[in-house]
Amino acid sequence: MEWRLVGRVANPWGQVPVTGGGQAVNPRVQEYMANVAAAALRRDCVSRRHHYVPQAYMKAWSFDGRRVRVLNTVNGSDRLQGLRDTCVRENFYRVTDALGAPHNQAEAMLAVIDDEAARLLRLLRGWAPDNDMNFDDFMSLAVVLAFQRNRTPQRKRLMEAHNTWLRGRALQATPPLTTTGFIASLFQSAYGAADEHSTRQLELWDDPQARLITSDQPVILSTDASGRSPSTLTSQYLWWPIRACCESAGHS
């Protein structure tokens, strides 16, 4: 059985779905970004185990709500693994403040984004063919996807490689990329990345055979026919596999 398109919706809002790099953020995004800013001012997050893929997202692939089947593409192992131990690294978001004091407050900041992601997942998983998505949710989805795509170890390695290239070839001194720099870039670039995502059409595809899987880089770009590295400007699709529930159904 072939994949089928569940629904396609033209822009019904009469509003341009971009923020101008954060200059015109809609109320829903303003609300939780204010909570992100409030979390940034505190130093009350002591957690050292940081999930770079939200547990609420991964839980849909779990048959018991606690474990998920994990394929290690390096050594070929295939086993059940606890959600708490999947897509997690110790002190992955640990940064230092202006006084040089280390803290994990970025984990609390990203938890606000994760709560919004969980809300949007509930919305998408309950989607029916005749449903509509309002403008605030559409724009919020673009922001959530921007964070999820850019917060992973793969993205950090790419930034580190680019930083190394710059330091080897630039005519002026370029400091090495630190975790603090990575987190700063993640938040500073969020609206710009979201604006690229929100210019795309939202499509929900259903696979009756439930062949969809996800990975530790869950938001990916489709490759084009040239075989070049995918770009947000040239890729046809931005994929985000989700599952409706623990049943044998999948959506993207």
Side-chain angles (χ1 to χ4, degrees):
M1 184 178 296
E2 298 297 325
W3 296 56
R4 69 176 187 270
L5 178 62
V6 176
R8 176 178 292 162
V9 181
N11 181 353
W13 308 293
Q15 301 181 62
V16 179
V18 293
T19 70
Q23 298 301 307
V25 180
N26 63 291
R28 177 61 193 171
V29 177
Q30 286 180 0
E31 179 183 353
Y32 63 76
M33 281 302 192
N35 294 333
V36 169
L41 298 177
R42 300 192 297 266
R43 292 292 181 269
D44 56 359
C45 183
V46 297
S47 172
R48 296 187 302 173
R49 303 184 77 251
H50 302 161
H51 281 84
Y52 51 87
V53 178
Q55 293 186 72
Y57 170 78
M58 295 188 291
K59 192 173 182 179
W61 275 268
S62 172
F63 68 93
D64 61 3
R66 296 181 294 106
R67 295 173 296 170
V68 67
R69 184 178 175 184
V70 174
L71 171 65
N72 188 315
T73 57
V74 175
N75 59 28
S77 67
D78 183 354
R79 64 189 180 91
L80 289 175
Q81 184 168 285
L83 291 175
R84 288 175 54 86
D85 299 319
T86 303
C87 296
V88 63
R89 288 193 177 183
E90 188 164 323
N91 292 324
F92 184 63
Y93 300 128
R94 190 173 182 83
V95 299
T96 55
D97 59 23
L99 300 178
H103 63 85
N104 287 322
Q105 207 59 35
E107 168 75 353
M109 296 163 65
L110 288 166
V112 177
I113 307 298
D114 292 347
D115 287 343
E116 176 66 4
R119 185 189 73 84
L120 290 169
L121 281 168
R122 290 193 296 271
L123 175 67
L124 293 173
R125 286 166 179 159
W127 190 273
D130 294 329
N131 286 2
D132 290 328
M133 174 174 276
N134 64 46
F135 184 78
D136 278 10
D137 286 338
F138 181 79
M139 293 303 297
S140 184
L141 178 62
V143 174
V144 165
L145 290 177
F147 274 101
Q148 184 54 77
R149 178 169 172 258
N150 292 329
R151 67 189 278 188
T152 64
Q154 292 92 325
R155 188 66 175 176
K156 186 178 181 182
R157 287 197 299 268
L158 179 62
M159 293 176 64
E160 288 171 341
H162 185 245
N163 176 265
T164 300
W165 182 87
L166 286 177
R167 286 189 288 116
R169 290 163 175 79
L171 297 179
Q172 68 270 12
T174 302
L177 180 71
T178 63
T179 299
T180 302
F182 169 61
I183 295 299
S185 176
L186 172 63
F187 280 93
Q188 291 167 1
S189 65
Y191 289 127
D195 282 350
E196 293 182 8
H197 300 164
S198 61
T199 59
R200 296 169 178 271
Q201 177 172 277
L202 175 63
E203 298 180 0
L204 298 182
W205 291 75
D206 178 61
D207 178 17
Q209 297 186 33
R211 292 165 293 185
L212 289 175
I213 61 174
T214 190
S215 72
D216 54 355
Q217 178 69 49
V219 180
I220 60 175
L221 295 168
S222 62
T223 56
D224 56 28
S226 68
R228 294 175 298 181
S229 297
S231 162
T232 52
L233 298 178
T234 61
S235 296
Q236 183 177 6
Y237 291 106
L238 179 80
W239 293 102
W240 191 36
I242 65 174
R243 278 180 63 100
C245 61
C246 296
E247 300 172 358
S248 59
H251 296 276
S252 174

